[in-house]
Every structure is written in structure tokens, then in C-alpha cells.
């Protein structure tokens, strides 16, 4: 059994989807912890109602990473999955979980990545630039924002009439359809290789 910690800061639709996918499949993957930097984020209540332990940490604590690393080892966390976590992951955690941190980004990287590019900011920029497509990127996390090895991308067609909210809906559907599967495959593949 591999334990994963989901890091999320917002609504938590992907966190819930990941939890449900692994629980329904009785997969060898267990969502063992939610890490969140905002006590009032919707994801906190959602995961608590699924009986997932929640660890709330301050921005200062994230920057140092020490207490977080200790907490992850307490919960025997093997993998970290970022599902809308809006703070930079400290180097201490990146070193401790080398090639074991997976992020989802709501665009076709390298387009619309980097600092400040998250959630609706991404979709607004996509619409402003009259892009004909957008999509999702699932990638490993390294020291640079949105720069790690791409594991999976999927695109969706956009219509000239689409508003940022329409793009968000299309992209979210792709996230819910593919993120759990890609996380599962990545973890299983790495387990089989070792
Ligand atoms: C998702 O669209 C995810 O791709 C994005 O935050 C959203 C979280 O939604 N992540 C980023 O923008 C990271 N740069 P959710 O809270 O409903 O899962």
C-alpha cells in the first residue's frame, strides 16, 4: 500500500475525485493526509467528511518545510499529489520526495505556466489570447514552478465564444477524468521499477 498526501488550497474537487477513485477501486493507494495552507478552504471540510486527516500549516511553516517533512514521515507518506496547492513547495520537501511529487496544471504547459498562473488567471489569459485549445498537464515537481517532467497532457477544443468560465469547465472535466488514473499509473510504474 502506498500512502499519498494531497496538498490543496481551494475548492478541492480534484482532491475529492482522487479520494473517491482510489476508495472505489480498492486500489493499493491510500489518501492518508490532506495538507492545506488555509483553514477555511472548502477542501478542508470536504476531506474531513471523508475521514481524511487534515494538516493545516502556516505560510511560514511551508517556507521552512521542517515541520511538514516530519508530519509526512509521521503519516508514512510515500507520494505527494498537488491538487490546486498555491504555495511553492520548499526545497527540503522536493529533495526528500525526489520524483515523488505530482502536480496538475490547468493549461498545456509550457504555455500559461509559471508564477501567478493558477486557476482562473490561466483561463482568462487563454481567452484573451484567443487560443483555439487548452487542456491539462500533469507533471513531476522540481525546484522551478511548472517545470518538471511532463507525465501526461490532454487538450480540449475551444470555441471563439468561450468565456474563461467555459474554459474552466472544460479543463476541470479533463482533470476529473484523467488525474486519478495518471497518478495511479505513475505510482504503480515506479513501484514496479523498484
Ligand atoms: C485545478 O484546476 C488545478 O489544475 C489548479 O487549481 C485547480 C484546483 O481546483 N492548479 C493550479 O492552477 C496550479 N498552478 P479544485 O480545488 O477544484 O481541485
Amino acid at each position: 500500500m502506498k500512502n499519498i498526501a494531497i496538498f490543496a488550497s481551494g475548492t478541492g474537487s480534484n482532491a475529492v475525485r482522487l479520494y473517491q477513485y482510489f476508495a472505489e477501486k480498492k486500489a493499493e493507494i491510500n489518501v492518508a493526509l490532506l495538507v492545506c495552507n488555509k483553514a477555511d478552504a472548502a477542501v478542508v471540510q470536504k476531506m474531513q467528511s471523508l475521514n481524511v486527516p487534515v494538516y493545516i500549516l502556516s505560510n511560514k511553516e511551508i517556507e521552512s518545510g521542517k515541520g511538514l517533512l516530519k508530519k509526512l514521515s509521521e503519516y508514512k507518506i510515500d507520494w505527494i499529489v498537488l491538487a490546486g496547492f498555491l504555495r511553492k513547495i520548499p526545497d527540503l520537501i522536493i529533495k526528500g520526495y525526489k520524483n515523488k511529487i505530482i502536480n496538475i496544471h490547468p493549461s498545456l504547459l509550457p504555455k500559461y505556466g509559471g508564477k501567478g498562473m493558477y486557476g482562473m488567471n490561466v483561463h482568462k489569459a487563454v481567452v484573451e489570447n484567443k487560443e483555439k485549445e487548452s487542456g491539462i498537464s500533469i507533471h513531476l515537481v522540481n525546484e522551478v514552478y511548472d517545470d518538471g517532467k511532463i507525465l501526461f497532457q490532454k487538450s480540449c477544443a475551444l470555441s471563439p465564444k468561450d468565456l474563461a468560465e467555459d474554459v474552466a469547465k472544460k479543463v476541470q472535466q479533463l482533470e476529473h477524468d484523467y488525474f486519478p488514473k495518471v497518478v495511479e499509473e505513475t505510482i504503480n510504474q515506479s513501484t514496479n521499477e523498484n
Side-chain angles (χ1 to χ4, degrees), residues 8-16 43 46 82-86 103-107 114 117-120 122-123 136-137 145-146 168 171-172 175-176:
S9 310
T11 319
S13 73
N14 280 286
V16 170
V43 67
K46 285 183 185 164
L82 309 181
F85 189 67
L86 301 182
N103 182 42
I104 189 155
H105 186 79
S107 77
M117 275 296 168
Y118 57 85
M120 285 308 282
V122 173
H123 308 310
I136 59 170
S137 302
Y145 261 130
D146 299 332
V171 167
Q172 190 183 59
E175 295 188 330
H176 293 178

Side-chain angles (χ1 to χ4, degrees), residues 68-83:
L68 177 56
L69 197 59
K70 209 169 143 216
K71 190 56 95 179
L72 296 174
S73 98
E74 214 176 278
Y75 280 85
K76 299 191 173 20
I77 299 301
D78 301 294
W79 286 77
I80 294 171
V81 178
L82 309 181

Side-chain angles (χ1 to χ4, degrees), residues 178-194:
Y178 291 99
F179 196 23
K181 275 184 219 158
V182 175
V183 168
E184 183 182 36
E185 279 166 18
T186 305
I187 293 177
N188 286 345
Q189 203 178 330
S190 155
T191 307
N192 293 338
E193 277 167 12
N194 291 323

